Amino acid sequence: MAYQSTNPYDGKILQTFDPINANQLEEKLHRASVCFSDDWRSRSYADRAAVLSRAAAILRERPEEFAKLITLEMGKLLPQSIGEVALSAAILDYYAQNAERFLAPEKLVTAKGEALVESSPIGVLFGVEPWNYPYYQIARFAAPNLMAGNVVMVKHASSVPQCALAFERLMQEAGAPAGAYTNLFISKDQVSQVIDDPRIRGVALTGSEAAGAVVAARAGQNLKKTTMELGGSDAFIVLEDADLDKAVKCAVSGRMGNSGQACTASKRFIVVEALADRFLEKFQAALENFKPGDPLDKQTTLAPLSSAEALENLLGQVQRAVAGGARVVMGGERIDRTGAFMQPTILTDISEKNPAYKQEFFGPVALFFRVPDEDAAVALANDSPFGLGGSVFTQDIERGKQLARRIDTGMVFINAPASSSPELPFGGVKNSGYGRELSGAGIQEFVNKKLIRVA
Ligand code: NAP
């Protein structure tokens, strides 16, 4: 399997890279391991921070250069790609500035003598990452772990090899020593070999449930810790006292950002009966305004999906949903033009027996449900195999918080669609995975909490 960059706007193949061979893989593993033991683990926080801050500065100096690669390889609208570059820089800076505080030794209160817990790095970590946010996903994994003193190796999605190389070059340019950050163009078999390798001490995956199950099982056989950031089918609950216009605006950005290809995109719109018709009418009207075009053109509002295959998968899901009884309110088809363009789509009348009821739709397809009241909204929101994020719209913030507590997910946003920021923990429960990235929590996942006891 090759690593291939194909522009989803016009289907043109841009570049192809072969997976590395066994000798090259061994050399990279060796270099990472030596970098950890002989160099990176013993550097001061200030030394490590200098590298990460420099990487952030380079991203800020040349945002378009990095952003254009995202847009060319996976189709994201250029302004959104530029936003992703800025967010990645913010994550690098955040850990450069806060890691030492997060990992400071903790004195314990003990009856006799002295006791403290120190956070030490554990070694070489392996990350398997998805194409939908090609730099942000890597920054989330690499920044905290590098600051903790670990070194990282990354297998990026095979559709974004130019972004994968750009991030590796970024770290080199920022002064990271050879082996601190390593990109791996490897096959699925080699992924297993890397997980099995004794030099690898932890594994993080962001991606689908299917990939997560394979990688977590392999790591489990090797007794290696994992974090899993998997899919979601986030509920977007609108209560009868919501600000309707605000809710609709957020529904549009929550569903359409990144062409709907976000794990925390709003996917199931659960609206209380009193507002359901008006919400649906305004939501539909807003989705009709999206204009497909070249994602490099700043006037375009509807980007292609990441690949022709992604479009086929989504169309298949919509067709099966309709065969199962769902009604198409709008859209439902590919857009008749070159490129992987999907019509903004709303489906309703999705019964529990419909396969769509429990699936994630990774694209601009909204599932719309009307419910009698708040309790029914919570029950429907929780009737999902996923537990990543969700939103609640109400003008009564206390009521929003109470409802948020009843939702079985890792994140709930009141009066906003899901978003991500360096200081906010990110992650889910149920089939959305386990562990957290970002914030103080994200740097604690792959460190040894070592007790030092003085008798
Ligand atoms: P995917 O197919 O699971 O790919 C993600 C990564 O896993 C890629 O690097 C992929 O490599 C690799 N991979 C896939 N199957 C594998 C296997 N059997 N063994 C080893 N590696 C494997 O995910 P996707 O469909 O591209 O991405 C979308 C999914 O990711 C959605 O479900 C989305 O919700 C989820 N996601 C979750 C988060 C989160 O933080 N919770 C964030 C973003 C996306 P190849 O490209 O070479 O196949």
Side-chain angles (χ1 to χ4, degrees), residues 71-86:
T71 300
L72 286 173
E73 287 195 307
M74 56 71 70
K76 196 188 305 270
L77 295 176
L78 187 61
Q80 292 181 17
S81 298
I82 291 171
E84 180 181 333
V85 171

Side-chain angles (χ1 to χ4, degrees), residues 256-287:
M256 298 302 291
N258 210 28
S259 271
Q261 304 164 114
C263 50
T264 50
S266 312
K267 292 176 185 144
R268 294 180 296 143
F269 295 83
I270 302 174
V271 186
V272 164
E273 187 65 55
L275 281 188
D277 287 336
R278 279 190 290 154
F279 176 91
L280 187 56
E281 194 184 310
K282 286 179 178 245
F283 189 31
Q284 178 174 353
L287 293 186

Side-chain angles (χ1 to χ4, degrees), residues 52-66 82 85-94 97 170 422:
L52 270 73
S53 306
R54 180 71 198 120
I58 295 168
L59 289 176
R60 290 204 183 92
E61 283 157 19
R62 308 187 327 242
E64 291 235 357
E65 172 193 323
F66 285 92
I82 291 171
V85 171
L87 178 56
S88 306
I91 292 169
L92 290 162
D93 269 342
Y94 176 75
Q97 288 158 13
L170 168 72

Side-chain angles (χ1 to χ4, degrees), residues 186-337:
I186 51 175
S187 66
K188 300 242 160 56
D189 283 347
Q190 287 172 312
V191 167
S192 299
Q193 283 172 37
V194 171
I195 297 171
D196 292 349
D197 193 287
R199 288 165 288 194
I200 297 292
R201 299 309 319 150
V203 181
L205 178 136
T206 297
S208 60
E209 289 167 277
V214 170
V215 166
R218 191 83 187 196
Q221 281 166 11
N222 285 284
L223 302 176
K224 290 179 187 174
K225 175 167 174 175
T226 51
T227 56
M228 292 285 141
E229 298 282 2
L230 309 177
S233 187
D234 288 3
F236 183 103
I237 297 175
V238 184
L239 299 180
E240 68 286 349
D241 67 346
D243 174 337
L244 181 62
D245 289 334
K246 181 173 187 183
V248 170
K249 199 165 165 243
C250 293
V252 172
S253 62
R255 182 60 284 195
M256 298 302 291
N258 210 28
S259 271
Q261 304 164 114
C263 50
T264 50
S266 312
K267 292 176 185 144
R268 294 180 296 143
F269 295 83
I270 302 174
V271 186
V272 164
E273 187 65 55
L275 281 188
D277 287 336
R278 279 190 290 154
F279 176 91
L280 187 56
E281 194 184 310
K282 286 179 178 245
F283 189 31
Q284 178 174 353
L287 293 186
E288 270 158 6
N289 288 330
F290 278 80
K291 299 275 177 292
D294 184 347
L296 283 173
D297 176 349
K298 289 187 179 165
Q299 303 309 314
T300 301
T301 52
L302 182 65
L305 295 190
S306 64
S307 66
E309 193 193 354
L311 175 61
E312 288 305 326
N313 288 342
L314 189 63
L315 285 166
Q317 268 185 300
V318 170
Q319 281 153 12
R320 287 188 293 279
V322 172
R327 186 169 69 81
V328 180
V329 176
M330 67 180 287
E333 308 279 346
R334 74 173 69 214
I335 297 178
D336 186 18
R337 58 178 294 154

